[in-house]
């Protein structure tokens, strides 16, 4: 049974589509195909070890910067510096992608909105969604802890994703209002 980790999906979506560009950049930096291959592989290995990989705003630019830094580290270790290798890398300098105050505010607003939508999910769907997608627990562990079948777990997770997606796209009726959820809980004796 193959378990696909979130970082594997991130790599497939954000890193591997640019692999040719990384090899070309590494070749310009190093001047050698073998060295370029080693630079790219080391950059990928370092990315896999990186804890904050999900917060990288522009993965392509990040990897290109990594390639430059790794090449510099290797040259320092050799104590032989051929500055001609770096003369051609000026075109690789990328714009600063640090978010401005407006992007930060917009991001915080989106985060607040997602948080509100998650809070409005029906309790059973919310529990499964939070434990799987936010806390990263395994599906088997969640189903076992909740005393439900794998099929029930999958249905609840799918329902949570569907409700969140519809609500995010503007379907106001997809999720119950907080008042409605409280009324349902009160009638069923839950608090």
């Amino acid at each position: 049974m193959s378990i696909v980790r979130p970082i594997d999906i991130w790599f497939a979506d954000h890193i591997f589509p640019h692999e040719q560009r990384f090899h070309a950049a590494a070749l310009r930096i190093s001047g050698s195909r073998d060295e370029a291959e080693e630079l790219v592989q080391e950059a990928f290995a370092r990315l896999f070890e990186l804890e904050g990989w999900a917060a990288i705003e522009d993965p392509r630019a990040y990897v290109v910067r990594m390639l430059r830094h790794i090449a510099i580290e290797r040259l320092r270790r050799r104590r032989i510096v051929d500055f001609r290798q770096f003369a051609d890398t000026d075109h690789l300098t990328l714009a600063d992608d640090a978010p401005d105050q407006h992007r930060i505010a917009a991001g915080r607003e989106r985060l607040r909105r997602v948080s509100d939508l998650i809070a409005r999910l029906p309790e059973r769907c919310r529990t499964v969604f939070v434990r799987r997608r936010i806390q990263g627990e395994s599906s088997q562990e969640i189903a076992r802890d909740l005393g439900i079948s794998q099929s029930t777990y999958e249905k609840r997770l799918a329902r949570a994703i569907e409700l969140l997606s519809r609500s995010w796209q503007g379907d106001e009726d997809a999720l119950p209002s907080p008042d409605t959820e409280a009324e349902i809980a009160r009638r069923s004796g839950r608090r």
Side-chain angles (χ1 to χ4, degrees), residues 132-185:
R132 178 68 184 133
R133 294 296 174 100
I134 296 175
Q135 296 172 352
E137 295 179 38
S138 75
S139 57
Q140 295 84 5
E141 180 182 2
I142 296 167
R144 185 182 60 246
D145 286 353
L146 296 176
I148 59 176
S149 69
Q150 190 68 28
S151 174
T152 301
Y153 156 81
E154 291 168 1
K155 288 174 185 169
R156 288 181 185 176
L157 182 60
R159 179 73 175 145
I161 293 168
E162 175 195 3
L163 291 171
L164 287 173
S165 184
R166 286 179 36 205
S167 296
W168 185 260
Q169 294 173 357
D171 183 355
E172 296 299 321
D173 298 327
L175 290 173
S177 70
D179 297 335
T180 307
E181 187 69 20
E183 178 62 25
I184 293 168

Side-chain angles (χ1 to χ4, degrees), residues 32-68:
S32 157
R33 288 197 183 282
D34 292 339
E35 176 95 19
E37 178 66 29
E38 288 179 21
L39 285 173
V40 171
Q41 292 306 312
E42 186 168 342
F44 286 0
R46 288 184 184 189
L47 273 175
F48 267 110
E49 295 173 358
L50 193 63
E51 288 184 13
W53 56 268
I56 297 173
E57 288 282 335
D58 185 356
R60 184 187 59 81
Y62 190 89
V63 172
V64 171
R65 284 192 300 269
M66 267 184 113
L67 293 170
R68 290 180 72 188

Side-chain angles (χ1 to χ4, degrees), residues 38-132:
E38 288 179 21
L39 285 173
V40 171
Q41 292 306 312
E42 186 168 342
F44 286 0
R46 288 184 184 189
L47 273 175
F48 267 110
E49 295 173 358
L50 193 63
E51 288 184 13
W53 56 268
I56 297 173
E57 288 282 335
D58 185 356
R60 184 187 59 81
Y62 190 89
V63 172
V64 171
R65 284 192 300 269
M66 267 184 113
L67 293 170
R68 290 180 72 188
H69 291 288
I70 293 168
I72 291 168
E73 286 175 17
R74 287 177 171 210
L75 288 172
R76 283 183 181 152
R77 274 189 244 129
R78 288 188 210 140
R79 298 184 188 264
I80 301 171
V81 178
D82 182 3
F83 288 100
R84 289 175 293 168
Q85 292 178 350
F86 296 101
D88 190 35
T89 62
D90 290 337
H91 69 281
L92 296 176
T93 304
L94 301 168
D96 182 12
D97 285 339
D100 61 17
Q101 63 186 1
H102 301 291
R103 285 178 60 194
I104 292 170
R108 286 183 179 151
E109 176 58 28
R110 283 192 303 272
L111 183 59
R112 185 202 54 75
R113 183 171 175 224
V114 167
S115 214
D116 289 348
L117 292 175
I118 290 171
R120 288 179 48 202
L121 282 171
E123 183 180 351
R124 292 176 178 175
C125 294
R126 182 178 57 244
T127 300
V128 168
F129 180 83
V130 168
R131 289 184 67 181
R132 178 68 184 133

